[in-house]
């Protein structure tokens, strides 16, 4: 009997995620790769990867989402990021009442889910403050990897970055380096800046005593999650599959 698969592809601005569920709804394959210059080339790379795994995307239900969803010619349909991230997060956390904080490469989404449906959302897509891109720029300025910045932040304190603009914030970091501030303290300021921006976004949704989960590229940063938990006065959950929430939601949409 032929194995049934459901394919979800989330081509974001910086990374492309792939998730494949079997007929029983179990995650059987996932992958992550840089989106690169061309979403079309990325979609073709994903198609080849699927074929190597014995999965034909033109013979299995396939849904695309994300920034580059229009670049997947073999997808049966395209669905918005908000819907897919909501569905994927519910699947990951086995919950129908949830607030999702998705920190992506170029935007941050806050999604309130009630009774299994998207009730409201806030999306920051006009500025890179509070996103993975902001962390990447600051990490490059400090000659560190983004994960190293998160690790060092736990050991720092007493320093802040006043500007929410990535360009001006980078100038502040350069000034802090120039005056001899420790990497730990600068890392602390960088992460605190991201957290403050995200918490500011949640204010419209009145996140209080809610089940909150963190998804996106920074969901593996334990210190960031702890800092968000403290500022929001609730426990922010995260799972390894959180990076694939959009792709999982897409796979669940057929």
């Amino acid at each position: 009997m032929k194995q049934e698969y459901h394919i979800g592809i989330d081509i974001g601005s910086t990374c492309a995620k792939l998730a494949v569920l079997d007929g029983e709804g179990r995650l059987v394959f996932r992958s992550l790769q840089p989106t690169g210059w061309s979403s079309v080339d990325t979609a073709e790379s994903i198609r080849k990867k699927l074929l190597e795994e014995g999965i034909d995307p033109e013979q299995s239900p396939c849904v695309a989402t994300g920034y580059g969803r229009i670049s997947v010619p073999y997808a049966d349909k395209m669905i918005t990021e908000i819907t897919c991230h909501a569905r994927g997060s519910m699947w990951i956390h086995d919950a129908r009442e949830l607030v999702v904080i998705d920190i992506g490469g170029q935007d941050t989404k806050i999604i309130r889910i009630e009774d299994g449906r998207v009730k409201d959302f806030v999306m920051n897509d006009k500025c890179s403050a509070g996103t993975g891109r902001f962390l990447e720029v600051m990490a490059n300025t400090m000659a560190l990897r983004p994960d190293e910045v998160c690790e060092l932040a736990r050991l720092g304190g007493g320093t802040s970055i006043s500007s929410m603009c990535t360009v001006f914030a980078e100038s502040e970091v350069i000034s802090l380096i120039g005056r001899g501030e420790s990497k730990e303290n600068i890392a602390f300021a960088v992460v605190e800046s991201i957290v403050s921006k995200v918490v500011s976004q949640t204010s419209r949704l009145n996140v209080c005593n809610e089940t909150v989960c963190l998804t996106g590229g920074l969901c593996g940063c334990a210190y960031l999650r702890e800092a968000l938990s403290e500022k929001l006065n609730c426990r922010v959950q995260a799972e390894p599959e959180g990076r694939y929430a959009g792709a999982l939601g897409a796979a669940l949409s057929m």
Side-chain angles (χ1 to χ4, degrees):
M1 182 177 178
K2 185 179 179 181
Q3 176 68 58
E4 179 183 359
Y5 296 108
H6 293 263
I7 303 166
I9 298 171
D10 176 11
I11 300 184
S13 58
T14 57
C15 286
K17 285 78 65 177
L18 165 67
V20 180
L21 303 176
D22 66 12
E24 302 298 318
R26 295 171 298 202
L27 179 62
V28 294
F29 182 70
R30 69 182 188 185
S31 73
L32 175 74
Q33 67 185 75
T35 298
W37 175 257
S38 168
S39 295
V40 173
D41 290 346
T42 300
E44 176 60 18
S45 173
I46 290 172
R47 187 185 73 84
K48 290 178 179 177
K49 190 173 296 184
L50 285 165
L51 291 173
E52 289 171 1
E53 295 295 322
I55 304 167
D56 187 345
E58 295 181 357
Q59 298 297 320
S60 299
C62 179
V63 175
T65 189
Y67 167 85
R69 61 183 179 272
I70 62 172
S71 302
V72 187
Y74 48 85
D76 296 289
K77 62 180 178 179
M78 299 174 288
I79 299 180
T80 66
E81 298 100 309
I82 299 298
T83 298
C84 289
H85 277 276
R87 286 176 179 162
S89 298
M90 285 190 288
W91 185 88
I92 291 167
H93 294 276
D94 191 24
R96 291 174 59 81
E97 308 280 337
L98 194 64
V99 173
V100 181
I101 298 175
D102 180 77
I103 302 178
Q106 298 282 9
D107 63 45
T108 299
K109 297 176 278 290
I110 316 293
I111 309 168
R112 178 186 291 281
I113 304 167
E114 294 182 5
D115 193 28
R117 295 178 179 273
V118 174
K119 181 70 174 180
D120 199 2
F121 70 91
V122 177
M123 186 171 179
N124 165 39
D125 60 357
K126 302 298 183 185
C127 173
S128 62
T131 68
R133 177 59 180 163
F134 179 89
L135 177 61
E136 183 182 4
V137 169
M138 301 309 141
N140 287 340
T141 303
M142 299 171 68
L144 295 170
R145 299 191 309 271
D147 61 311
E148 290 176 323
V149 173
C150 289
E151 291 168 8
L152 283 174
R154 188 190 298 278
L155 305 175
T159 306
S160 64
I161 296 173
S162 60
S163 178
M164 297 305 293
C165 170
T166 301
V167 175
F168 292 134
E170 183 181 14
S171 295
E172 284 192 61
V173 168
I174 291 171
S175 295
L176 289 169
I177 293 170
R179 75 184 194 203
E181 193 67 66
S182 72
K183 281 191 174 183
E184 291 82 359
N185 290 348
I186 299 174
F188 170 83
V190 168
V191 174
E192 281 295 298
S193 179
I194 294 171
V195 169
S196 295
K197 178 64 176 178
V198 173
V199 169
S200 175
Q201 281 184 257
T202 67
S203 61
R204 200 192 92 184
L205 299 186
N206 189 29
V207 177
C208 183
N209 299 319
E210 307 273 1
T211 300
V212 181
C213 73
L214 178 64
T215 63
L218 301 185
C219 68
C221 177
Y223 177 72
L224 177 71
R225 189 169 69 249
E226 292 165 16
L228 277 171
S229 297
E230 183 178 348
K231 290 283 179 66
L232 293 173
N233 197 30
C234 65
R235 177 175 171 265
V236 177
Q237 306 174 26
E239 296 292 339
E241 290 82 10
R243 187 105 191 238
Y244 300 87
L248 282 164
L252 290 162
S253 297
M254 287 296 289

